[in-house]
Amino acid sequence: PESPNSGGDATGPVPAKPDSAVTLNILDVAGNLQLTQGMIDEFAAKNSDQIGKVTYSKATAPELVGKIKAQQNANRVDIDLVLTGVDGLAAGIEQGLWTPLLPAYKDRLSGMNGYSEGAAAMQKLAGDHGVTVTYYPSGPLIEYLPAKVPSPPKTAEELLAYAKANPGAVQYARPSNSGPGRTLLMGLPYLLGDSDPKDPISGWSKTWQYLAELNKYVTLYPSSTSETMKNLANGSAKIIASTTGWDINPRVLGTVPKEAQVGALEGFHWVTDAHYAVIPKGVPAGKQAAILNLLADMLTPQQQAKAYDKGYFYPGPAVEGVTLDMAPAESRQAIQEYGRPEYDKLIADHPLEVPLDAKALVAAFDKWDREIGGAKVKK
Amino acid sequence: MTRAALRHRLAERGIDRQLLLLAPALACVLALFVYPFAYGIGLSFQPAEGGVLGAYRTFFTDAYQRDTIATTLGLALPAAILNVAASVPIAYRMRGRFRGKRLLTTVLVVPITLGTVLTAEGLLNYLGPTGWFNRTLISVGLTDAPVRLTNNYWGVFFSLVITGFPFAFLLILSYLSGIDPTLDRAAATLGAPWWQRFRRITLPLLAPGLATTFCLTFVLAFSVFPSAVLVGDPAGETRVISIAAYHAAYEVYDYPLGSAIAVIMGLVELAVVAVVLGLRSLLYTGSTGGKG
Amino acid sequence: MTTFSELRLDGVRRRFGGKDALAGLSLTIRRGEFIALLGPSGCGKSTALNCLAGLLPLTEGSIWQDGDRLDTLPPERRGFGMVFQSYALFPHLSVRKNISFGLQMRRLPRDEVRRRTDEAIKLVRLEEHARKLPGQLSGGQQQRVAIARAVVLEPSLVLMDEPLSNLDAKLRLEMRTEIRRLHQSLGLTTVYVTHDQEEALSLADRLVVLRDGRVEQIGTPEELHNRPANRHVADFMGYRNLVPMRVKAVHGDTVALDGSGLTLEGTPVGPVAAGDEVVAGIRPEDLRAGPHGVPVTVEVVEYQGRELAVEARTEEGVALFLRAAERPAPGDRITVTAAPSRVLVFGAGTR
Amino acid sequence: MTTFSELRLDGVRRRFGGKDALAGLSLTIRRGEFIALLGPSGCGKSTALNCLAGLLPLTEGSIWQDGDRLDTLPPERRGFGMVFQSYALFPHLSVRKNISFGLQMRRLPRDEVRRRTDEAIKLVRLEEHARKLPGQLSGGQQQRVAIARAVVLEPSLVLMDEPLSNLDAKLRLEMRTEIRRLHQSLGLTTVYVTHDQEEALSLADRLVVLRDGRVEQIGTPEELHNRPANRHVADFMGYRNLVPMRVKAVHGDTVALDGSGLTLEGTPVGPVAAGDEVVAGIRPEDLRAGPHGVPVTVEVVEYQGRELAVEARTEEGVALFLRAAERPAPGDRITVTAAPSRVLVFGAGTR
Amino acid sequence: MTATLEKPAAAVETRRKRIVASPGAWLVWGAVAFFFVNLAGVIGSVVVNSFGERWFDTWLPSGWTTQWYASAWNEFGLFPILVVTLEVALLVVAISVLVGVPASYVLARRSFPGRRLVYLLFLLPILMPPITYGIPLATVLYKYGLAGHLAGVVLANLVPSIPFVILTMTPFIEQIDPAVERAARMCGARTWQVFLRILSPLLVPGILAASILVLVRTVGMFELTFLTAGPDSQTLVVALYYSMSAAGIRAQQSVDAMAVMYTASMLVLLVVALRFVNPTQLVARVKEDPD
Ligand SMILES: Nc1ncnc2c1ncn2[C@@H]1O[C@H](COP(=O)(O)OP(=O)(O)OP(=O)(O)O)[C@@H](O)[C@H]1O
Ligand SMILES: Nc1ncnc2c1ncn2[C@@H]1O[C@H](COP(=O)(O)OP(=O)(O)OP(=O)(O)O)[C@@H](O)[C@H]1O
Ligand SMILES: [Mg+2]
Ligand SMILES: [Mg+2]
């Protein structure tokens, strides 16, 4: 078998192609493989001269940095490609873990020029270190069963009033453990018109006040989004925070009844989300070459269409001009059945905002933990 | 002659080649535990700012962090006490021989295999607002609204009981079987009713075993992490110290603080263990008359 | 405490998994008596004692103390004292606390507990060791604590389960005298379990010999020693030579025997007739080297202080154990003889 | 295996934590001898045996086998056999495998292992039990396995550490004869540890009496029985009456004594002079009830088969143990007497 | 206590008396039953959910399917993971027994200067939560190129396992009569022969007991395994934990299916093991009271 370091030295120029087929070890900390594994497998199959074997492993984002760091300290990096969300990306940038890909190899990644507006904004967050591979506008949205909530709240104030009238009925998961949770957290400053939506500590006074008020009528903050989905399904929660992907995919999977509805609060901004590909420092040049070729392929519209998946990252593609009918049949069928035509209009009508950077986000989480989630015991 | 004499003298003190059998184990523990652990302690004294004790100061001056010690103790101590206390009467009932004992012990041991995730999932399903437990309570009419038993203190507490109880039970049953049953009979012939026999004979003899068991279950409970997140309320009621350590090390990437919290964790744990073992050394610690 | 004038076991039976460990023991114990239960390992001695103590429920039968039925009471309410084979001292309590345990259970006033404990400690001469834990005592001392713990309650009955079997020879002898002394001086009623016939003989007023859960014989030491009811009892009472022989003739009280290379006269136990196959039982000390006897070959000689113990073989190869005053050498041929009154003949009815 | 003509222990000392468990044992063991190490619990008997076996390193001294130094060899290379008190059979191996274990360790050819094992099994008469595990055997059978395991190697020396102390009275007697028989028939050299003086006397050619790690006396059974060197040995050899007295007068070989309420004549062991404080040692069986003796009060009477064992007290309250043919009642006053040759007088030099 | 010793043959009269006399027994058995009922509920709800199509606000799911097992199996590539898990567990058990048993032998049989210190040293890794030394341990292992492979996972798991074997085996060895070893020596056996032919067979129950516990602990050890595992050396518990907490949307049922598979494999191990080991003999090799 191949040694993990085949493909040459970590230093030196990156050739156009590896000398011989390499083994790629891919670590996914964002659940991105669900969208892209098909693209990768296809590329590997087609280019067996470049990629001999791909191994996939999964981890949670917080553990990513420690692991890469330990490997780099020991000079033995055996993770070649990391697929990560904003959190892992930023943490790695701050710790200097990633190989700078841009602008050096921008010409090899021509697909990056085709990014949609939102994706292009998200790519700025990655600086020179990562490549956006999938993108979606995310949320914040609210989700409910029409049978139980005949007239859903239309504004943030109405939501609060609803919560007041039905204690325990509104639920969102602990933001640091949940995508919809953090999207709601980051979306509120826009909804409420806070002074600086990018500064959770000093610019979010209305948001924190709103959350504290809401907190009075929230009985629990589950530790995962699936928990809130389950509660929605079994009726113990009536309105939960959601995103486009979390709306469609769980209904496909049967975790949430098909008839669940989503609603948007008046005047909301999308807080977008994306997944990035990064290469840890210390990956040999040959492997880097193969990865760059792989990424270039992944950014072609044909491959991007696979990102529609079963609505998990709806819509999913990061580049412009990828329509649903380019997607695999399975995807098309799922989205036709469970998707919502109104999303196109919502996406078109509401402004897109990039999420908080990692530092600010951690600070927001910490503040939420201390003042909202932890408030119940403090009293 | 002198070499033989030296060998004899060393042997008299208990030193000879047989001690080499200890070497592999000792080497493993030194290389794989002591060295990394010392490294971790060293790391905790090198925070980015605040001097040598900076990381510790950060921890202790922040009430939100400091309180995790109390939160953890508030979970681990009652759970360990309950596990041990509940095991004693059950083990006491089961120490004789009766049909089905083996089956019953085996079943009691099953929860050891469950693993955190299944326990957490099961608790969420079973004790959740529309889980079987609440459904039963409501249909029996004991309560109108579902009782909230998950995503709070109780969820974590139950998961600690489910994983800790079988372990405590096994150990205690084993210790209890080591006590010579004729002692109990001797006390009976001296006119002691069963609870006097239990209180004055069995319990004191069991005490050292109880202390050991308590320490082991306490340690298990004190380092609770996944279930504190999964079935607990990780921002509030069940923000245990390992969450703080995890947060520091993996979310803020403040390794010195993470190490410092880990060290504090170890120290608190050792303090509790030391208190318990100290109390134990006040008690009788000799043979319990078990028949070999 | 309560006393009684007699304690009656009435067909006491205890079964373990379909097998009788004790099959119908009936016995009346009079106040002040010293009864020994004697028998080989596994014969049901401990079972009998535990039934009496209430530690084992009966399968059948009943136990009566004068007019009161006792077998339905739990052990702690029978008021008996028990000395266990392994002493069963409470290892975490000092000697003094071990002894006072029972008194405290009776909720006697402090002063009286102290006084009676002191007395008991003095009785067994452990004043210097009162504060030690049992683990710090020698076997003999532990033994005495166990006895003191049992007798301090002045129980109506003391039960002892092989209390001397863990001691060495010299101590065993001393403790034996001690137990007998305590029994006499405190006026106790004692039931004593042992498998050592010498111990039973020397201590008891009456002996109960058990075998396979059944009573083989009940009688005074003299009766058992001189007239064992059958060959099993005889075997147990030191009749080491049990030789299969045939009755040649019956002459009044004695019978003439031969077989196994021997010719002897003996006293029958139970009816025998000429021609019967019988077993002759003779103690080694009754079989003496002397002129006019049966010729045997010496095999092993052991010195035993005053006497020599000899193992010899008859011409038919049957081993005989005897005593000699002078030392024969292995291989010597000597003649042996026994007084007819000392040769017991067990017929088929007394096997 | 190797044999030797003599085995010499030369000032063998073993210390445990600053305390001598064995303080300078010197002894020469001749081939074919049966030596018994005798002494109270804790006197160092097992220590001596373990030193000889090589299981305990010596603190000082040396052990020689003819001309070869032995004490530096590990136990497995000394070629001795050992029988342990608790037998120490391998619980997971069958009787046969237990016995053949040592032969396999020597890497003997299969055939020979089988042959010698069969022989040994036959020797101890366990043919029927060869396939059983030790846990399925009775105490006496286990004992025999232990012996077979030790002797199957035809060791130059067999060591036995209280091999009979776990057996019951009857079995003990039988096994004793068995051991003596094996010793004689296999021509073994044996060192045997016991605390039972009767056992030692009956088995050994020579006895070594230890006390507190020191040798008190070495001699033949007769020598020890009749002429113990001091009162401790006497105590151990069955002189249960050790009475402090004073020498009134010396007449040639005998001395006149009084004290403790007694007046007696005795035979001195070592030099004594009139006026000396001495201890008179008398066996219970030498102190007989009879006319013309010293008056004593009977306290306890025990039946012992042929005789009665009596504990009595002199007028000065000293306890005496004696034998009587007829049964006196407790409280009776009788007179006792002893032959002067049977009363040993230990002066200050022989304490 | 005697209530449990009761034999069926015991007289009806005494039996009735004892049952009435011990409300404590009823209380205890009641508590045990309550524990079991709830435990069954906890386990049952996961098992039922893992076979359920969809399960909303009802007593039972609306349909049954095994698709979640298939999807969990495929998504996580469970087969290689199971193989790795088994390899890791067996290696850890084998090495910790090989290293731990001789050490516990010395600790049980010998007294030497510093014995208590050594004992304490072996106690510490069990008393310390793995998080406290896991990170530096991973760093060290990566430094020497051991982490990221099976070797690293095995080494990391040895840290709590060796002490665990030592702690469980020491009392066990103490209870074997040392005379048996001496007897073997007197029969001419060398040290290794004593170990191989006499001690090992006698220690089998203890070794099995310790092995099972180590096995269960290793299979269930998340922290250390995660920190040192490479792409090809993940174990089941790591995969399970990801399925639960890694980003992405997964059907709850599929996570439950993973958990059930995990528990089922542990249960098989445990039940097989319990056939050989009496669970009451963990700390002491006791003979049960014959009556
Ligand atoms: N391993 C040891 N450590 C400390 N002291 C010991 C040890 N072994 C024996 N001793 C001490 O040495 C002395 C002699 O012990 P040894 O076992 O030889 O006595 P013994 O004559 O065999 O007694 P017993 O008849 O009780 O077996 C005793 O005082 C004992 O306490
Ligand atoms: N709990 C029990 N279960 C099954 N059989 C038992 C039990 N207790 C005793 N027995 C059996 O009952 C019989 C009598 O046992 P018991 O203990 O009374 O004998 P013992 O005369 O005291 O013997 P030893 O002299 O060996 O103590 C034996 O065959 C024994 O195996
Ligand atoms: Mg018995
Ligand atoms: Mg000894």
Side-chain angles (χ1 to χ4, degrees), chain A residues 25 29-31 34 55 57-60 63 67 70-71 74 76 78 226 233-234 245-246 249-250 253-257 312, chain E residues 53-54 56-57 68 75-76 139 142-143 145 147-149 222 226 229 231 234 241-242 245-253:
Chain A
N25 297 316
V29 298
Q34 193 175 336
T55 71
S57 46
K58 292 169 182 146
T60 53
E63 285 127 3
K67 194 163 170 124
Q71 293 188 1
R76 251 194 93 259
D78 55 15
S226 9
N234 67 32
W246 274 102
N249 196 241
L253 292 174
T255 318
V256 172
Y312 157 53
Chain E
E53 247 165 41
R54 20 200 96 192
F56 302 139
D57 190 11
W68 308 115
E75 185 183 348
F76 287 93
T139 312
Y142 270 113
K143 200 141 107 196
H149 295 294
F222 171 72
F226 167 73
Q234 283 185 29
Y241 195 74
Y242 289 157
S245 58
I249 302 173
R250 245 171 307 277
Q252 203 68 29
Q253 296 95 314

Side-chain angles (χ1 to χ4, degrees), chain C residues 41-42 44-47 50 85 161-162 193 195:
Chain C
S41 185
K45 306 182 296 290
S46 300
T47 305
N50 287 332
Q85 174 166 0
D161 194 351
E162 314 203 12
V193 162
H195 57 233

Side-chain angles (χ1 to χ4, degrees), chain D residues 157-222:
Chain D
L157 181 67
V158 177
L159 306 165
M160 302 196 185
D161 194 351
E162 314 204 13
L164 302 184
S165 67
N166 281 354
L167 303 182
D168 71 24
K170 188 159 166 285
L171 206 53
R172 198 149 55 214
L173 221 61
E174 286 174 30
M175 288 310 301
R176 202 199 273 176
T177 316
E178 195 80 34
I179 287 175
R180 182 77 208 177
R181 185 209 319 279
L182 283 171
H183 172 82
Q184 282 176 3
S185 61
L186 297 177
L188 300 169
T189 313
T190 307
V191 177
Y192 186 101
V193 161
T194 179
H195 57 232
D196 183 337
Q197 116 264 9
E198 209 183 299
E199 209 170 287
L201 287 175
S202 70
L203 285 170
D205 298 322
R206 274 200 299 155
L207 274 65
V208 179
V209 181
L210 293 173
R211 187 170 147 257
D212 283 348
R214 279 164 212 290
V215 175
E216 295 272 307
Q217 189 171 4
I218 302 184
T220 63
E222 283 87 352

Side-chain angles (χ1 to χ4, degrees), chain B residues 202-221:
Chain B
T202 310
L203 204 57
L205 291 176
L206 190 58
L210 285 183
T212 312
T213 311
F214 178 85
C215 288
L216 290 176
T217 34
F218 171 76
V219 166
L220 278 184

Side-chain angles (χ1 to χ4, degrees), chain A residues 36-349:
Chain A
T36 56
Q37 187 167 351
M39 314 180 196
I40 299 169
D41 285 342
E42 197 178 310
F43 179 82
K46 277 199 213 127
N47 299 278
S48 51
D49 57 327
Q50 294 189 44
I51 296 179
K53 185 181 157 207
V54 184
T55 71
Y56 300 105
S57 46
K58 292 169 182 146
T60 53
E63 285 127 3
L64 168 71
V65 175
K67 194 163 170 124
I68 302 273
K69 220 178 160 137
Q71 293 188 1
Q72 287 178 344
N73 287 344
N75 262 329
R76 251 194 93 259
V77 177
D78 55 15
I79 294 170
D80 307 316
L81 174 63
V82 178
L83 300 170
T84 172
V86 182
D87 43 357
L89 169 84
I93 292 176
E94 194 183 327
Q95 305 275 322
L97 305 181
W98 312 138
T99 308
L101 298 175
L102 306 170
Y105 309 115
K106 186 147 175 81
D107 50 333
R108 297 197 200 184
L109 300 166
S110 53
M112 290 180 74
N113 301 324
Y115 279 149
S116 62
E117 180 202 341
M122 289 304 285
Q123 175 61 34
K124 291 210 186 87
L125 288 182
D128 294 340
H129 294 90
V131 175
T132 307
V133 287
T134 50
Y135 158 83
Y136 85 136
S138 190
L141 302 171
I142 55 171
E143 188 167 352
Y144 56 90
L145 296 179
K148 298 216 167 122
V149 186
S151 53
K154 294 264 180 290
T155 64
E157 284 66 40
E158 278 179 40
L159 181 66
L160 189 59
Y162 181 85
K164 205 170 193 164
N166 305 279
V170 175
Q171 214 171 67
Y172 62 98
R174 182 186 178 213
S176 58
N177 295 104
S178 154
R182 81 183 57 166
T183 311
L184 175 69
L185 186 67
M186 292 187 287
L188 274 175
Y190 300 101
L191 270 168
L192 300 174
D194 254 321
S195 58
D196 182 358
K198 295 278 186 232
D199 182 358
I201 302 305
S202 42
W204 282 18
S205 53
K206 289 184 185 156
T207 300
W208 293 121
Q209 203 192 337
Y210 181 88
L211 285 174
E213 189 61 23
L214 185 61
N215 182 42
K216 290 182 190 155
Y217 317 110
V218 173
T219 40
L220 83 134
Y221 299 105
S223 317
S224 68
T225 320
S226 9
E227 195 63 16
T228 60
M229 295 288 160
K230 204 168 78 190
N231 288 341
L232 177 72
N234 67 32
S236 62
K238 301 216 163 53
I239 296 183
I240 61 168
S242 191
T243 63
T244 54
W246 274 102
D247 162 34
I248 301 175
N249 196 241
R251 287 189 297 129
V252 176
L253 292 174
T255 318
V256 172
K258 191 183 169 189
E259 63 272 17
Q261 276 299 339
V262 292
L265 298 178
E266 203 179 286
F268 86 102
H269 294 205
W270 293 103
V271 178
T272 58
D273 197 5
H275 288 164
Y276 303 89
V278 291
I279 303 179
K281 283 185 182 156
V283 173
K287 286 194 177 195
Q288 289 189 38
I291 291 170
L292 288 171
N293 295 339
L294 167 66
L295 291 180
D297 180 66
M298 284 168 71
L299 289 178
T300 60
Q302 299 85 315
Q303 295 290 12
Q304 282 284 308
K306 294 201 172 96
Y308 275 104
D309 187 53
K310 289 180 180 162
Y312 157 53
F313 219 56
Y314 185 84
V319 300
E320 209 66 73
V322 180
T323 53
L324 185 59
D325 48 307
M326 297 164 71
E330 233 186 351
S331 279
R332 282 206 305 273
Q333 194 196 335
I335 289 175
Q336 254 140 33
E337 188 174 351
Y338 293 92
R340 301 185 194 279
E342 63 264 36
Y343 274 151
D344 289 344
K345 185 168 158 28
L346 274 178
I347 294 171
D349 292 353

